[in-house]
Amino acid sequence: MRKIIAGLFISLDGVVEAPDQWHFPYFNDEMGAAVDATLGSVDTMLFGRKTYDSFAGAWPEREAAGGEDAAFAKILGDARKIVASNRPLDFSWRNSERLEGDLIEAVTALKAEPGPGPIAMSGSVSLVRQLLAAGLLDELHLLLHPIAVRKGMRLFDEGEAPVPLTLISSETFRTGVLNLHYAPAERVGQGTYEDAKTHLRQQPEG
């Protein structure tokens, strides 16, 4: 069973929208290495439509331009790109296809296909939320920037069910960005105030 790993740029107040407007002052070699660790050898990517449109509007031109990021652009171009969308799409970026059928069933089938490594996601916030809720996202990689953006879409919207996560690893970059890797955790039971007081009374004095 293949893993699905999602990577997102995120602010201190949880904003993930339009990172191009606040992210670049924090980009350095450490962050480049972190992004490359997830996407630098990817063979399959899963996108929401809006994120795919953004990638498709930029990376083919960068590959053709032959600049310093052309090699990375070629990796993305050569990868199989699967787009979750409720409407038909016209693809101009090579190796692109639409995810057919019910989202959960189709992604479950995709994870069962053979492949050399994980399926990568970048951005695609709505899709990340849905896959987390369905138990289909295996790892969530967050590059937490030391800035409060104060407007824009946040990673988690309001809802009734909590989303417990387990921290797998963490790293602090020179810029103050935190590289945080999470995996889904078992849901924690709802404790009470009396439970908390009992727990505290049982702790040894020190």
Side-chain angles (χ1 to χ4, degrees):
M1 184 73 71
R2 300 184 73 176
K3 287 185 176 181
I4 296 181
I5 298 176
L8 292 164
F9 298 137
I10 187 169
S11 70
L12 276 178
D13 52 345
V15 174
V16 289
E17 183 178 350
D20 57 296
Q21 298 179 15
W22 46 266
H23 151 71
F24 287 109
Y26 301 95
F27 191 90
N28 66 356
D29 58 331
E30 295 169 305
M31 187 178 292
V35 172
D36 189 67
T38 302
L39 300 179
S41 60
V42 67
D43 79 305
T44 304
M45 295 193 70
L46 180 61
F47 289 98
R49 181 186 58 79
K50 290 182 180 179
T51 302
Y52 174 83
D53 287 345
S54 175
F55 271 57
W59 287 107
E61 293 181 3
R62 294 181 184 182
E63 181 180 355
E68 61 181 14
D69 56 1
F72 183 72
K74 184 179 185 304
I75 290 172
L76 298 182
D78 289 343
R80 180 188 180 193
K81 291 168 284 293
I82 306 168
V83 186
S85 175
N86 292 324
R87 60 180 177 82
L89 300 170
D90 293 324
F91 295 115
S92 58
W93 200 9
R94 69 183 185 277
N95 301 323
S96 299
E97 63 190 81
R98 181 184 173 211
L99 186 71
E100 300 289 346
D102 175 79
L103 173 66
I104 303 306
E105 292 180 358
V107 173
T108 300
L110 181 64
K111 286 170 64 74
E113 293 180 2
I119 299 164
M121 297 178 63
S122 182
S124 307
V125 178
S126 176
L127 190 55
V128 168
R129 291 174 180 168
Q130 293 178 76
L131 297 186
L132 266 175
L136 293 174
L137 190 69
D138 297 282
E139 292 184 18
L140 180 62
H141 294 182
L142 300 179
L143 288 167
L144 179 64
H145 292 56
I147 181 173
V149 178
R150 303 187 66 186
K151 62 180 180 180
M153 179 189 295
R154 287 167 169 76
L155 174 55
F156 296 110
D157 55 0
E158 291 190 9
E160 296 182 359
V163 182
L165 300 169
T166 296
L167 183 65
I168 302 172
S169 65
S170 63
E171 179 183 9
T172 304
F173 296 158
R174 294 187 301 273
T175 57
V177 170
L178 299 180
N179 183 20
L180 306 172
H181 292 188
Y182 291 96
E186 294 295 328
R187 294 197 177 276
V188 180
Q190 297 297 316
T192 66
Y193 176 63
E194 291 301 323
D195 292 336
K197 289 198 299 182
T198 300
H199 176 74
L200 290 173
R201 285 196 297 267
Q202 293 173 347
Q203 298 304 302
E205 295 182 1

